[in-house]
């Protein structure tokens, strides 16, 4: 997809885990990598500041958010999971993202979610069946481009749950009885979280950074 500024475009390509790369439009040269993962959708916000990189359809629905910095780099600012989503659209003010599950593509769990630019879940509405979800159009020039708010926190996780050192530390220190055993897990079973090996990238592949030939 082209950036609204017209100076760059983003491409998601390759087998899973797919790569996502930003190209300079002038010479069609690769500029920046957003990292590999279960992705097939890339959307710029109306001002070319934020990017949502997602994987819908037969993918888990993971969404990563990036902000374009003054030096041209793209900084990760959050992630979430919008399971079963079919559509993805930025709001006219460029601050919120709309994802929806609609018929006839999916006839169950219909509804929509609205997320902040960092993956924080703001609204979740469910309906028996809907066929379209979109933002109401506004005249051009109604809103101005704005960076992330100073008080914004990076969100990482499913459903917009903010991770923190305190919460992760508490989990690690939870008491476990000496004779406790883990439940049996079949050799070929998965976690059930939607992750699957064909779309699994290594830690290095998932990192965003300058393009490396």
């Amino acid at each position: 997809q082209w950036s609204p500024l017209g100076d760059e475009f983003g491409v998601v390509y390759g087998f899973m885990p797919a790569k996502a790369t930003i190209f300079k439009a002038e010479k069609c040269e690769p500029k920046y990598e957003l990292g590999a993962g279960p992705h097939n959708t890339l959307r710029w916000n109306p001002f070319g500041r934020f990017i949502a990189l997602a994987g819908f359809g037969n993918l888990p629905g993971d969404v990563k958010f990036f902000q374009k910095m003054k030096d041209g780099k793209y900084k990760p600012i959050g992630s979430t999971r919008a399971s079963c989503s079919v559509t993805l659209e930025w709001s006219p003010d460029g601050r919120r993202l709309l994802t929806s599950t609609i018929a006839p593509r999916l006839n169950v769990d219909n509804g929509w979610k609205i997320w902040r630019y960092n993956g924080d879940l703001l609204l979740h509405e469910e309906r028996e069946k809907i066929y379209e979800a979109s933002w109401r159009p506004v005249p051009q020039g109604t809103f101005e481009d704005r960076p992330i708010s100073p008080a914004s926190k990076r969100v990482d996780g499913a459903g917009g749950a903010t991770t923190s050192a305190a919460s992760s530390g508490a989990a690690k220190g939870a008491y476990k009885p000496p004779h406790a055993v883990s439940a049996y897990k079949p050799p070929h079973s998965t976690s059930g979280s939607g992750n699957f090996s064909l779309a699994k990238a290594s830690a290095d592949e998932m990192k965003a950074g300058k393009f490396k030939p």
Side-chain angles (χ1 to χ4, degrees):
Q1 188 191 35
W2 279 97
S3 163
L5 302 178
D7 59 340
E8 298 174 336
F9 60 91
V11 179
V12 181
Y13 59 97
F15 296 103
M16 291 297 158
K19 294 182 178 180
T21 304
I22 304 299
F23 287 78
K24 293 180 180 179
E26 185 177 0
K27 297 184 178 180
C28 230
E29 295 177 341
K31 172 187 176 183
Y32 208 82
E33 293 179 339
L34 301 181
H39 311 133
N40 58 12
T41 304
L42 185 150
R43 294 287 185 272
W44 256 285
N45 86 329
F47 302 99
R49 176 180 292 277
F50 301 126
I51 286 180
L53 180 63
F56 295 154
N58 61 341
L59 298 177
D62 292 340
V63 185
K64 294 180 180 179
F65 296 87
F66 299 84
Q67 178 182 211
K68 185 177 182 180
M69 310 304 289
K70 292 182 179 180
D71 58 5
K73 297 180 180 179
Y74 286 84
K75 178 184 178 180
I77 55 175
S79 64
T80 190
R81 174 166 290 180
S83 302
C84 301
S85 294
V86 175
T87 67
L88 178 150
E89 182 183 357
W90 283 100
S91 62
D93 68 354
R95 311 287 289 178
R96 297 163 184 82
L97 191 75
L98 170 70
T99 60
S100 65
T101 304
I102 58 177
R105 179 68 180 272
L106 287 176
N107 292 309
V108 295
D109 298 327
N110 279 198
W112 63 89
K113 295 179 181 179
I114 296 178
W115 313 83
R116 190 175 279 116
Y117 50 77
N118 62 348
D120 190 13
L121 181 60
L122 302 175
L123 177 70
H124 181 192
E125 292 285 343
E126 295 182 345
R127 295 292 186 272
E128 183 176 348
K129 185 168 289 189
I130 60 173
Y131 296 93
E132 185 177 2
S134 62
W135 296 100
R136 179 183 297 175
V138 299
Q140 189 172 1
T142 301
F143 299 104
E144 295 182 354
D145 178 29
R146 291 190 294 148
I148 62 175
S149 301
S152 291
K153 295 181 179 180
R154 176 169 172 170
V155 174
D156 289 293
T162 303
T163 58
S164 65
S167 60
S168 60
K172 291 180 181 179
Y175 172 75
K176 184 177 181 182
H179 303 291
V181 295
S182 301
Y184 172 73
K185 184 177 180 181
H188 302 292
S189 66
T190 64
S191 63
S193 62
N195 293 324
F196 47 96
S197 59
L198 291 179
K200 198 71 175 178
S202 67
D204 288 338
E205 291 175 326
M206 293 174 65
K207 290 181 180 178
K210 290 185 178 181
F211 178 81
K212 299 177 181 178

